[in-house]
């Protein structure tokens, strides 16, 4: 496109694009455009209001004291009243010029108060006057009232401000609003003044008008919206938004109005719009964010990620948007993706690796360069007020190694998902090697930074156990530095959040060391691979030489004894909190000593853990009670300690374990196997013929179950061992009555449930029903071992009552939820496409061959997307989003709305797993393990997807392309279609989609949202 040129003062012809900003030509246009409406200046308005009020008060006091009446006391309190009476009543010989001066000051004061009112209505903002829409269509048949109602509803759904739909006056709020109702025929001067002042007093902040238009080209429906601000002389902004329907055009106009008003209000200073205050906010950005937020609230996470991606494309430096993207990824089970999102937001707009240097600084360095440290940290917090919450979320996600490390080394993706995962690991690997190489200095093969980086790079590629240790140490260091930076955050506005002082102390001194102790224990069981040369990596002492007792657990900083002898140096690296460890030079002595005490013991005892939690939650200020977040973190810590007494579900002992490592694994297995014997599950069903199998004696002291005969003697006691009412010997099936837990577990379970109850007691009912319910019952990984026990079942039934049967929960609930969502998505989509092709088979719609060619091309693209979904077992969210987008293009919007497509990701409470009716107890242990049952249901859906890919999807897509090519050839030769050929094509396409719907309906989890009972899935 040729550029128009213009002549400058030097006679040089330059293109109009010369004035456009470029990276090398910085000018006024290089920054975002200012807001279209005037920005309220609250500070100057408040200053003028106070100054004029003080001037008026001083004038009244001076008049009252100067003309003091006889017999009146000389007091400062009555002087303003005396002055007002003298000025209005005209008593005494008071000069008229002074009366005029007082009147002038009063008018200036009223103007200042009126301006302050306008500024407040524009900044708060106040009520918005939405006028009646004008119908400018040729036929004057537009639904004016309906569109205005939808417009106001869209304004109110965004929770920006309460819109006021005029043209009548808004409801009275102040004394002047009530005074405006005085009868105008009265002759009282004071009444007339009271009636005149409300007409001058501002009552609305903005006014919105709209005009409905129609044009011939698509999109043909438009709404012209005008926003007028009463501040600064009544400046206005206007636009015309077009859409394919009246509803779409109205929604876009509403989003434009909100995007125009928001940057000049106080909400423009809050997240995620704090960088757009006083600037022109793109309406597309605001619309994408709101649609993503609505989709996230409806649990349509695929759509939410798509809209958030569009918003990030328009505002890539918005860290708050990235945090919301990470929260959606965590809800979908994409924990490594969430870690990458947090990592990218953490270093956003940082120069020279400032954050990496900030993490690895000692207190001595900060005191030595105190001004530079204080100014740099305060500048960082002022520029990034969201950094406290962001760093907290990043540290917690980094510490959840059972999620992140599992996905780090998992390689089950195909196609684009595998490529994206590989690129993500490469980015994170480079970032972690550059930032966290000081963590592995004591583990590396040689001293120095290059050797540490090489060791860390090799570990992140090959060794999962060592990677868990690295992630846990890095998370502990992040929490330590975050705790110290929160002290300075109190001096920066908008940095306070739920991350309180006591919460960070608990995470730093208890939660992070406890997780590190577990990771260190697993690394020791794996043989310290990759170990530094010179450390003992051979087999450790055989526990059978010591009576077969399990060897004590190995904690961080407590390496096992060498296999050479008791006098040999310890095997394995030095613990991070020990003297000479990797964190010894970075942590202060007090926190490091407390962390070292906890990290040396795994499994952790209840007494030691309870003392550490109480110390962390000790209130520094008596008037600051513990919050719900503090109790919740304590409950998670108690529940995580239970993992020391539970083995990994369905995970045998690794083959490369040493003798000591196998003994450690065997000890945890014995404790976990003894728990169901002493504590039967809630779902009981006595078998028809209980087998008489002798019960072997437990390898650890576990309180045996009570005798079913009610004799009061334990079943394992000398007088009641194996006793039965009929005198026979053998194992006695225990009764389904609760029995006490083993001592190491009972105290932890009781404390965890108690802290959960305290957390719920400190929250509102709505928060407890939504956010905390999701965390406690499904999302929180620390509570996974607690969900297996009966005490948690009682707690769940009491706090969250349900009309359905309460079933146990697997450790990874999100996998079952996403599998059920994929089944519902494909099933509903196939049904909608089947109905659409049946409607197209009717004679009026199949007459146009060009339209049929377009339908077949879109259908072939949909089948290609379905092939990718089936090949990857519906694991990739971008393929699912593309499938939803194609269905929106193919299916009638009214039918989509009636079917509520796309479906929401179901809650686990709404799922009915295939085979769940057999998940009951026989008195000793469940007949079918819940983990095995969840994996079985996921496998059923995966097998159906494989069958669809092999039998339907590939051939159906080729069939659509062949039919499209044949129709194109007929159209090119000018030959007409036969009478029933188009109808036959539509019927065949509908039959293919019917096969997909039937195959997905056959088996797998069923979503039941009625809440009245459990649906029986098809077998």
């Amino acid at each position: 496109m040729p550029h128009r040129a213009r002549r400058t003062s030097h006679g040089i012809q330059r293109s109009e694009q010369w004035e456009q900003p470029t990276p090398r030509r910085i000018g006024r246009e290089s920054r975002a455009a200012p807001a279209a409406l005037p920005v309220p200046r609250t500070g100057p308005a408040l200053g003028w209001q106070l100054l004029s009020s003080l001037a008026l008060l001083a004038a009244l006091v001076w008049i009252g004291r100067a003309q003091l009446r006889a017999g009146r006391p000389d007091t400062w309190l009555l002087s303003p009243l005396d002055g007002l009476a003298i000025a209005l009543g005209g008593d005494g010989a008071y000069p008229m010029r002074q009366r005029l001066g007082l009147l002038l000051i009063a008018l200036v004061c009223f103007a200042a108060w009126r301006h302050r009112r306008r500024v407040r209505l524009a900044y708060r903002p106040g009520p918005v006057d939405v006028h009646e829409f004008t119908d400018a269509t040729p036929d004057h048949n537009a639904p004016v009232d309906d569109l205005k109602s939808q417009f106001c509803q869209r304004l109110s759904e965004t929770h920006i401000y309460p819109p006021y739909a005029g043209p009548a006056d808004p409801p009275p709020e102040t004394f002047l609003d009530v005074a405006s109702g005085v009868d105008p025929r009265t002759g009282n001067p004071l009444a007339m003044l009271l009636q005149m002042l409300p007409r001058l007093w501002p009552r609305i902040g903005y006014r919105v008008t709209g005009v409905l238009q129609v044009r011939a080209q698509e999109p043909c429906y438009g709404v012209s919206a005008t926003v007028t601000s009463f501040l600064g002389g009544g400046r206005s902004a206007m636009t015309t938004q077009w859409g394919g329907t009246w509803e779409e055009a109205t929604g876009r106009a509403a989003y434009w109005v909100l995007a125009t008003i928001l940057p000049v209000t106080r909400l423009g200073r809050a997240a995620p719009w704090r960088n757009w205050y006083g600037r022109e906010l793109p309406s597309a950005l605001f619309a994408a964010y709101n649609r993503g937020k609505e989709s996230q609230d409806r649990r349509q996470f695929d759509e939410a990620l798509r809209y958030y991606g569009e918003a990030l494309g328009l505002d890539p430096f918005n860290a708050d948007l990235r945090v919301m993207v990470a929260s959606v990824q965590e809800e979908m089970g994409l924990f490594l993706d969430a870690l990458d999102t947090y990592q990218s937001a953490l270093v956003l707009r940082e120069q020279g690796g400032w954050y990496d240097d900030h993490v690895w600084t000692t207190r001595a360095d900060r005191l030595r360069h105190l001004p530079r440290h204080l100014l740099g940290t305060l500048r960082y917090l002022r520029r990034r007020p969201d950094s406290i919450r962001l760093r907290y979320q990043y540290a917690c996600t980094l510490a959840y190694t059972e999620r992140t490390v599992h996905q780090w080394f998992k390689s089950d993706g195909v196609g684009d998902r595998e490529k994206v995962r590989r690129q993500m690991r490469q980015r994170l690997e480079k970032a972690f090697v550059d930032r966290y190489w000081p963590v592995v200095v004591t583990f590396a093969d040689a001293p120095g930074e290059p050797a540490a980086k090489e060791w860390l790079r090799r570990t992140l590629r090959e060794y999962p156990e060592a990677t868990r240790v690295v992630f846990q140490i890095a998370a502990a260091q992040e929490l330590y530095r975050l705790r110290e930076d929160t002290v300075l955050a109190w001096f920066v506005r908008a940095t306070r959040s739920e991350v309180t002082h006591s919460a960070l102390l608990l995470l730093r001194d208890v939660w992070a060391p406890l997780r590190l102790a577990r990771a260190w224990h697993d690394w020791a069981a794996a043989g310290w691979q990759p170990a530094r040369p010179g450390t003992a990596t051979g087999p450790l002492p055989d526990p059978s030489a010591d009576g077969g007792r399990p060897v004590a657990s190995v904690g961080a900083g407590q390496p096992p004894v060498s296999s050479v002898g008791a006098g040999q140096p310890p095997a394995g690296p030095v613990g991070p909190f020990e003297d000479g460890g990797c964190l010894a030079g970075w942590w202060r002595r007090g926190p490091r000593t407390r962390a070292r005490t906890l990290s040396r013991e795994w499994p952790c005892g209840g007494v030691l853990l309870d003392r550490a939690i109480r110390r962390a939650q000790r209130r520094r200020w008596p008037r600051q009670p513990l919050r719900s977040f503090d109790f919740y973190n304590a409950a998670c810590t108690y529940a995580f300690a239970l993992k020391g007494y539970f083995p990994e579900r369905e995970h045998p002992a690794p083959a490369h374990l040493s003798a000591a490592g196998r003994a450690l694994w065997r000890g945890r297995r014995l404790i976990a196997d003894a728990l169901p014997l002493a504590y039967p599950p809630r779902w009981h069903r006595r078998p028809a013929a209980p087998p008489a199998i002798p019960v072997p004696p437990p390898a650890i002291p576990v309180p045996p179950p009570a005798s079913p005969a009610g004799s009061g003697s334990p079943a394992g006691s000398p007088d009641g061992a194996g006793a039965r009412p009929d005198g026979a010997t053998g194992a006695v099936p225990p009764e389904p009555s609760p029995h006490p837990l083993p001592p190491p577990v009972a105290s932890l379970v009781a404390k965890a449930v108690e802290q959960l109850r305290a957390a719920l007691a400190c929250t509102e009912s709505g928060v407890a029903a939504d956010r905390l319910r999701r965390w406690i019952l499904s999302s929180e990984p620390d509570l996974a071992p607690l969900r297996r026990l009966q005490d948690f079942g009682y707690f769940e039934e009491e706090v969250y009552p349900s009309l359905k049967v309460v079933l146990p929960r697997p450790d990874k609930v999100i996998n079952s939820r996403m599998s059920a969502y994929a089944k519902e998505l494909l099933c509903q989509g196939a049904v909608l496409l089947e109905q659409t092709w049946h409607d197209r088979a009717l004679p009026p719609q199949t007459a146009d061959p060009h339209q049929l060619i377009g339908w077949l091309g879109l259908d072939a693209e949909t089948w290609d997307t379905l092939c990718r979904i089936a090949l990857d077992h519906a694991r990739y969210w971008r393929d699912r989003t593309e499938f939803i987008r194609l269905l929106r293009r193919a299916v009638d919007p009214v039918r989509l709305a009636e079917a509520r497509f796309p479906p929401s990701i179901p809650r686990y409470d709404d799922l009915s797993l295939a085979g769940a009716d057999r998940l009951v107890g026989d008195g000793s242990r469940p007949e079918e393990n819940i983990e095995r049952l969840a994996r079985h249901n996921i496998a059923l859906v995966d097998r159906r997807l494989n069958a669809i890919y092999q039998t339907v999807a590939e051939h159906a897509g080729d069939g659509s392309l062949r039919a499209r090519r044949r129709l194109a050839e007929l159209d090119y030769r000018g030959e007409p279609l036969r009478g029933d050929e188009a109808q036959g094509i539509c019927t065949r396409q509908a039959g293919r989609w019917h096969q997909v719907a039937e195959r997905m309906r056959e088996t797998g989890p069923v979503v039941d949202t009625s809440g009245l009972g459990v649906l029986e899935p098809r077998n």
Side-chain angles (χ1 to χ4, degrees):
M1 178 178 178
H3 300 157
R4 292 183 299 173
R6 63 184 179 88
R7 184 175 299 276
T8 63
S9 58
H10 301 283
I12 303 176
Q13 296 289 335
R14 289 180 179 176
S15 171
E16 286 185 351
Q17 291 194 354
W18 177 265
E19 299 295 336
Q20 298 296 325
T22 63
R24 296 182 179 273
R25 191 181 304 119
I26 305 298
R28 292 184 304 171
E29 303 296 332
S30 61
R31 302 187 64 183
L37 301 179
V39 180
R41 307 296 180 183
T42 57
L46 180 61
W48 282 110
Q49 180 187 16
L50 294 178
L51 184 62
S52 60
S53 301
L54 292 177
L56 179 61
L57 183 62
L60 291 176
V61 170
W62 178 69
I63 294 174
R65 293 181 61 85
Q67 304 292 333
L68 186 64
R69 299 180 182 180
R72 293 293 301 273
D74 188 6
T75 61
W76 291 91
L77 297 178
L78 298 178
S79 298
L81 299 178
D82 293 340
L84 183 62
I86 294 172
L88 295 179
D91 297 340
Y94 195 73
M96 182 58 65
R97 58 182 181 181
Q98 296 184 5
R99 294 177 186 272
L100 294 177
L102 182 62
L103 180 60
L104 179 62
I105 295 176
L107 292 177
V108 171
C109 182
F110 177 78
W113 278 78
R114 184 172 180 267
H115 177 68
R116 166 65 177 168
R117 174 67 176 176
R118 287 191 181 278
V119 169
R120 187 185 178 195
L121 290 175
Y123 184 72
R124 193 174 47 176
V128 177
D129 183 11
V130 181
H131 270 219
E132 294 290 338
F133 285 3
T134 303
D135 187 5
T137 59
D139 299 334
H140 298 282
N141 58 355
V144 178
D145 296 335
D146 185 25
L147 294 180
K148 180 188 174 183
S149 176
Q150 295 182 20
F151 186 86
C152 295
Q153 181 182 3
R154 178 63 64 181
L155 297 184
S156 61
E157 285 178 353
T158 54
H159 304 286
I160 297 298
Y161 53 84
Y164 169 69
D169 293 333
E173 296 181 355
T174 61
F175 168 74
L176 292 179
D177 296 338
V178 179
S180 62
V182 177
D183 188 4
R185 292 172 296 181
T186 181
N188 191 347
L190 182 60
M192 296 175 60
L193 179 64
L194 290 177
Q195 189 179 7
M196 181 183 64
L197 289 179
R199 299 181 182 275
L200 301 176
W201 192 250
R203 302 163 68 180
I204 57 176
Y206 301 93
R207 175 174 294 167
V208 178
T209 58
V211 178
L212 306 181
Q213 302 178 5
V214 175
R215 64 183 182 183
Q217 67 185 50
E218 292 290 339
C220 56
Y221 300 99
V223 177
S224 297
T226 303
V227 182
T228 303
S229 174
F230 293 96
L231 181 67
R235 288 172 53 184
S236 300
M238 180 180 176
T239 188
T240 301
Q241 299 292 328
W242 299 91
T245 60
W246 282 119
E247 290 76 11
E248 182 181 356
T250 304
R252 290 183 177 180
Y255 282 133
W256 177 85
V257 169
L258 291 173
T260 305
I261 295 178
L262 185 140
V264 297
T265 63
R266 62 179 177 181
L267 296 175
R269 297 183 180 273
W273 312 116
R274 56 170 59 96
N275 294 329
W276 292 96
Y277 183 76
R279 304 179 185 276
E280 184 180 356
L281 177 64
S283 60
L285 169 62
F286 187 82
Y289 166 78
N290 276 276
R291 293 192 181 104
K293 190 66 174 63
E294 292 174 359
S295 301
Q296 183 179 3
D297 295 339
R298 293 194 300 263
R299 300 196 310 277
Q300 297 174 350
F301 296 139
D302 291 335
E303 292 282 274
L305 281 182
R306 181 172 71 88
Y307 287 127
Y308 283 153
E310 295 178 2
L312 280 177
L314 298 172
D315 190 7
F317 289 161
N318 197 324
D320 299 293
L321 279 178
R322 294 180 184 247
V323 172
M324 300 190 72
V325 170
S327 65
V328 175
Q329 291 171 338
E330 289 178 336
E331 291 287 346
M332 300 175 64
L334 305 176
F335 305 112
L336 190 62
D337 300 61
L339 181 63
D340 179 63
T341 304
Y342 286 133
Q343 150 65 24
S344 62
L346 200 63
V347 297
L348 195 64
R349 305 176 70 174
E350 296 299 334
Q351 301 177 358
W354 180 89
Y355 181 75
D356 296 351
D357 298 337
H358 182 71
V359 170
W360 297 103
T361 56
T362 62
R363 170 164 288 195
D365 295 337
R366 292 191 294 272
L367 292 177
R368 189 180 302 112
H369 307 283
L370 186 60
R372 186 179 65 182
H373 163 68
L374 289 178
L375 294 179
T377 306
L378 291 175
R379 190 183 304 111
Y380 171 77
L381 292 174
R382 186 175 180 272
R383 187 174 64 254
R384 300 286 301 274
D386 60 308
S387 61
I388 298 297
R389 185 168 63 97
L390 173 61
R391 291 169 61 183
Y392 172 80
Q393 295 288 348
Y394 169 73
C396 292
T397 306
L398 193 63
Y400 290 142
T401 53
E402 62 269 27
R403 293 173 164 182
T404 54
V405 177
H406 172 72
Q407 295 186 359
W408 184 286
F409 289 93
K410 189 177 181 180
S411 57
D412 61 341
V414 295
D416 293 340
R417 185 166 70 97
E418 179 60 26
K419 297 177 183 178
V420 171
R421 181 66 60 86
R422 189 185 310 114
Q423 294 175 357
M424 188 187 311
R425 284 197 297 262
Q426 292 174 357
R427 289 195 305 269
L428 289 175
E429 178 185 322
K430 183 181 184 304
F432 288 169
V433 168
D434 293 340
R435 182 181 306 159
Y436 298 125
W437 66 266
V439 167
V440 301
V441 169
T442 57
F443 308 151
D445 302 335
E449 179 180 347
K453 288 185 175 181
E454 182 62 29
W455 189 93
L456 181 56
R457 191 177 294 109
R458 183 162 56 99
T459 298
L460 294 177
R461 295 176 181 176
E462 302 177 10
Y463 301 98
E465 291 81 8
T467 301
R468 291 189 180 95
V469 173
V470 171
F471 278 24
Q472 294 294 346
I473 300 176
Q477 178 66 17
E478 291 283 351
L479 291 172
Y480 177 78
R481 292 296 297 117
L482 177 60
R483 167 64 191 88
E484 295 192 344
D485 288 346
T486 50
V487 178
L488 296 177
W490 281 91
F491 301 98
V492 181
R493 190 181 63 176
T495 56
R496 300 182 182 180
S497 63
E498 293 181 349
V499 187
T500 58
H501 170 82
S502 57
L504 285 178
L505 278 183
L506 178 64
L507 295 179
R508 184 195 67 180
D509 296 344
V510 185
W511 183 74
L514 195 64
R515 280 189 158 271
L516 178 58
R518 193 270 178 96
W520 195 273
H521 161 265
D522 294 341
W523 193 25
W528 308 108
Q529 295 183 0
R532 191 173 60 181
T535 58
T537 59
L540 297 178
D542 191 353
S544 60
D546 194 16
R549 294 175 299 176
V551 180
S553 176
V554 179
Q558 186 184 0
V561 180
S562 174
S563 59
V564 179
Q568 297 296 330
V574 181
F577 299 112
E578 298 290 331
D579 295 336
C582 57
L583 296 181
W586 308 103
W587 284 44
R588 292 184 290 112
R589 179 177 300 177
R592 185 165 62 91
T593 302
R594 293 190 291 270
R596 179 174 56 194
T597 303
L598 272 177
S599 61
R600 283 180 172 180
E601 182 177 353
W602 182 262
C604 185
V607 177
L608 177 62
L609 186 61
D610 186 62
R611 186 186 308 116
I613 291 178
R614 288 180 180 274
R615 179 184 179 88
Q617 289 185 343
R618 186 176 57 188
R619 291 180 293 177
R620 267 59 179 178
W621 300 98
R623 295 186 179 180
Q624 292 183 354
L626 296 177
R627 301 182 182 179
S628 173
F629 199 56
D630 303 322
F631 292 116
Y632 179 80
N633 286 336
C636 293
T637 307
Y638 281 118
F640 180 79
L642 291 172
K643 290 192 176 184
Y645 304 95
F646 288 90
E648 295 294 333
R649 290 296 183 102
E650 305 298 330
H651 282 264
H656 61 271
L657 285 185
S658 61
R662 287 183 175 276
L664 293 172
W665 181 88
R666 193 181 301 116
R668 296 170 62 191
R669 169 66 71 179
L670 290 174
I671 295 178
D673 289 345
L675 282 175
L677 297 176
Y679 207 179
R682 291 176 287 165
W683 307 276
H684 310 287
R685 187 176 67 183
R686 188 178 298 279
I693 303 175
V695 180
I700 59 174
V702 177
S707 174
S711 60
S713 301
S717 60
D719 56 347
R724 296 174 65 177
D726 55 359
T729 59
V732 179
E735 290 291 336
S737 59
H739 295 276
L741 285 169
V745 181
S747 61
L748 296 176
V749 172
K751 290 290 185 180
V753 174
E754 177 186 352
Q755 294 291 330
L756 286 178
R757 294 184 185 275
L760 292 175
C762 299
T763 57
E764 300 177 357
S765 180
V767 177
D770 181 23
R771 185 175 59 177
L772 282 181
R773 178 191 178 96
R774 185 172 65 249
W775 289 354
I776 293 174
L777 300 184
S778 301
S779 302
E780 184 59 55
D782 291 339
L783 299 178
L786 183 64
R787 298 188 190 108
R788 309 174 187 175
L789 301 179
Q790 194 171 12
D791 284 0
F792 183 83
Y794 292 153
F795 163 77
E796 176 186 351
E797 293 171 1
E798 293 173 2
V799 177
Y800 300 108
S802 176
L803 299 179
K804 300 192 300 184
V805 179
V806 180
L807 299 177
R809 297 174 180 270
D811 287 347
K812 298 179 180 179
V813 177
I814 186 60
N815 294 339
S816 300
R817 294 176 58 198
M818 295 303 298
S819 179
Y821 164 69
K823 176 188 173 183
E824 288 293 318
L825 176 67
L826 297 182
C827 187
Q828 289 189 18
V831 170
L832 289 173
L833 288 173
E834 177 192 355
Q835 296 174 355
T836 301
W837 278 110
H838 280 306
D839 294 342
R840 291 170 178 174
L842 299 178
Q845 297 194 23
T846 57
D848 187 5
H850 299 89
Q851 191 176 25
L852 187 58
I853 291 174
W855 289 342
L856 288 173
L858 183 60
D859 192 70
E861 190 176 355
T862 307
W863 281 112
D864 182 63
T865 304
L866 181 61
C867 285
R868 296 198 304 269
I869 292 177
L871 188 62
D872 198 19
H873 296 163
R875 300 292 195 272
Y876 194 32
W877 70 271
R878 293 186 185 274
D879 292 338
R880 298 193 302 263
T881 304
E882 180 67 14
F883 183 75
I884 295 172
R885 186 187 67 83
L886 293 174
L887 254 77
R888 291 187 185 277
R889 292 177 54 188
V891 183
D892 183 31
V894 177
R895 179 166 290 170
L896 288 175
E898 292 176 351
R900 297 181 180 179
F901 185 86
S904 302
I905 294 181
R907 297 187 179 94
Y908 185 78
D909 300 335
D910 300 332
L911 292 184
S912 178
L913 302 180
D917 55 336
R918 299 190 300 272
L919 191 63
V920 293
D922 59 354
S924 60
R925 57 181 63 251
E927 292 183 5
E928 187 170 359
N929 188 277
I930 181 61
E931 298 290 342
R932 191 178 300 124
L933 179 64
R935 288 196 297 270
H936 173 68
N937 279 263
I938 296 174
L940 289 177
V941 178
D942 293 345
R943 284 198 291 267
R944 290 301 166 187
L945 289 173
N946 289 334
I948 289 174
Y949 175 76
Q950 296 172 2
T951 61
V952 182
E954 278 188 309
H955 310 291
D958 295 338
S960 299
L961 291 177
R962 287 194 299 269
R964 183 179 183 277
R965 284 195 295 267
R966 185 177 183 283
L967 291 176
E969 292 175 358
L970 292 177
D971 181 68
Y972 176 75
R973 293 195 299 265
E975 299 178 5
L977 292 176
R978 294 194 301 269
D980 58 343
E981 185 174 2
Q983 184 178 2
I985 292 174
C986 296
T987 304
R988 284 194 298 270
Q989 295 301 116
R992 290 165 180 169
W993 285 112
H994 176 75
Q995 294 181 28
V996 174
E998 286 299 316
R999 287 182 180 273
M1000 293 305 299
R1001 246 192 233 115
E1002 288 178 357
T1003 185
V1006 177
V1007 180
D1008 173 29
T1009 57
S1010 63
L1012 299 178
V1014 180
L1015 295 178
E1016 292 294 335
R1018 300 183 181 183
N1019 297 323

